[in-house]
Amino acid sequence: MISIDTLKQYVDYISNKEQSGNNYSPKQFNMLVSRSIDDIERWLIGLVSEYRPMQPLPSVAYDITQKVKDDLRFLKNTQVLSVDDSGFMTIPSDYVYLSSISYRRIENNAETGTPDVEPIAVEVMSDDNWTGRLNNAIKKPTHEFPVCNFYDKTKVLFSPQDLGSVTFTYLKKITTPVWGYTLDENDNPIFDPSSSVDIDLPEILLNDIARVIIGYMGINIREEQLIQYAELVKTKGI
């Protein structure tokens, strides 16, 4: 977990806020933090702009390296969700990126007299392949080989339809961080931990988030040194 106040102090120090006069309000800082963590989350999951022909993966992406998986473990969420009689499951409102979907197939064991539970991966089908798979006599979906399709923005459709429930593992949206404050007698903002929300990411990403914030600050105030610093940190990966 990254302390929002530690991040702000670090950004203030790097940007030389007090001496340079590059002041910004708490509202502006909170806006920059919100945009920056969105950038960091998209970068770690994998930027679509980095996809190239014959190179189907970006340089940084979820599940490529353990480092990225460790960075995003704070956002990993697993839920057992119901599948209705029509085969539909409601997508969680905080869903951002799919990790896996599995189905728990239960069969009675005649030898032991107890049910056997077998987790089975559900194959996610594209829109192009969905109809073809349903009508495929050889590879028609079964309880041993279930499939699904992201039907619309709120629903996933499964086949067979009578799965009952599935285990849905995904990356959730980062909770919006807030640098809360009160005003002193001179109307200067003073950090208020009771109204603040820290960043739900590992502390090792503090430099990356600060780099994005400083880059946005440099663009806004046309400060070349801040922009150059942000690009240098990005290049060196520190």
Side-chain angles (χ1 to χ4, degrees):
M1 182 77 69
I2 298 174
S3 163
I4 189 69
D5 190 46
T6 299
L7 175 64
K8 186 174 185 303
Q9 290 182 46
Y10 182 64
V11 169
D12 288 349
Y13 173 76
I14 296 297
S15 63
N16 197 20
K17 173 175 173 286
E18 300 301 330
Q19 296 183 33
S20 65
N22 296 330
N23 294 319
Y24 52 87
S25 68
K27 181 179 180 180
Q28 290 172 323
F29 175 75
N30 285 328
M31 179 188 66
L32 289 174
V33 174
S34 179
R35 295 283 67 79
S36 298
I37 63 171
D38 283 347
D39 286 352
I40 291 295
E41 186 172 17
R42 289 190 301 108
W43 170 60
L44 290 173
I45 289 174
L47 294 174
V48 175
S49 60
E50 289 193 358
Y51 284 72
R52 297 289 185 272
M54 307 303 294
Q55 183 182 329
L57 294 174
S59 57
V60 176
Y62 184 65
D63 269 346
I64 288 183
T65 66
Q66 187 63 43
K67 170 64 171 61
V68 175
K69 288 189 286 187
D70 286 342
D71 287 343
L72 288 172
R73 72 189 186 279
F74 285 53
L75 305 179
K76 193 173 182 179
N77 195 12
T78 298
Q79 296 186 35
V80 177
L81 301 175
S82 62
V83 177
D84 66 22
D85 293 340
S86 298
F88 286 103
M89 181 208 81
T90 301
I91 300 172
S93 59
D94 59 352
Y95 168 84
V96 170
Y97 182 82
L98 179 66
S99 179
S100 68
I101 307 178
S102 63
Y103 160 66
R104 296 172 71 248
R105 186 166 70 96
I106 302 175
E107 285 191 350
N108 291 324
N109 189 316
E111 295 181 0
T112 63
T114 58
D116 289 336
V117 179
E118 180 185 5
I120 297 176
V122 178
E123 183 180 357
V124 181
M125 305 294 301
S126 67
D127 293 339
D128 290 340
N129 297 327
W130 173 250
T131 303
R133 175 61 69 84
L134 296 185
N135 297 324
N136 191 314
I138 298 176
K139 298 184 67 177
K140 190 176 182 65
T142 64
H143 289 91
E144 290 77 19
F145 301 98
V147 298
C148 72
N149 169 259
F150 277 69
Y151 186 78
D152 58 25
K153 65 180 180 180
T154 63
K155 301 289 185 181
V156 176
L157 177 59
F158 290 86
S159 182
Q161 298 178 353
D162 61 345
L163 298 183
S165 65
V166 293
T167 300
F168 192 75
T169 301
Y170 65 100
L171 299 181
K172 64 182 181 179
K173 182 175 177 57
I174 301 176
T175 302
T176 302
V178 177
W179 189 82
Y181 65 97
T182 58
L183 297 176
D184 63 14
E185 62 275 10
N186 296 317
D187 287 336
N188 295 315
I190 304 299
F191 177 63
D192 177 22
S194 65
S195 60
S196 297
V197 178
D198 289 330
I199 302 173
D200 198 14
L201 286 172
E203 193 168 356
I204 196 171
L205 291 175
L206 187 147
N207 276 11
D208 295 293
I209 298 172
R211 180 254 305 167
V212 178
I213 293 173
I214 290 167
Y216 280 139
M217 288 173 58
I219 293 172
N220 183 56
I221 62 178
R222 300 296 188 268
E223 184 65 60
E224 279 300 318
Q225 287 184 334
L226 289 183
I227 297 174
Q228 290 171 5
Y229 171 81
E231 287 301 315
L232 177 63
V233 172
K234 178 181 178 181
T235 302
K236 290 187 174 182
I238 57 175

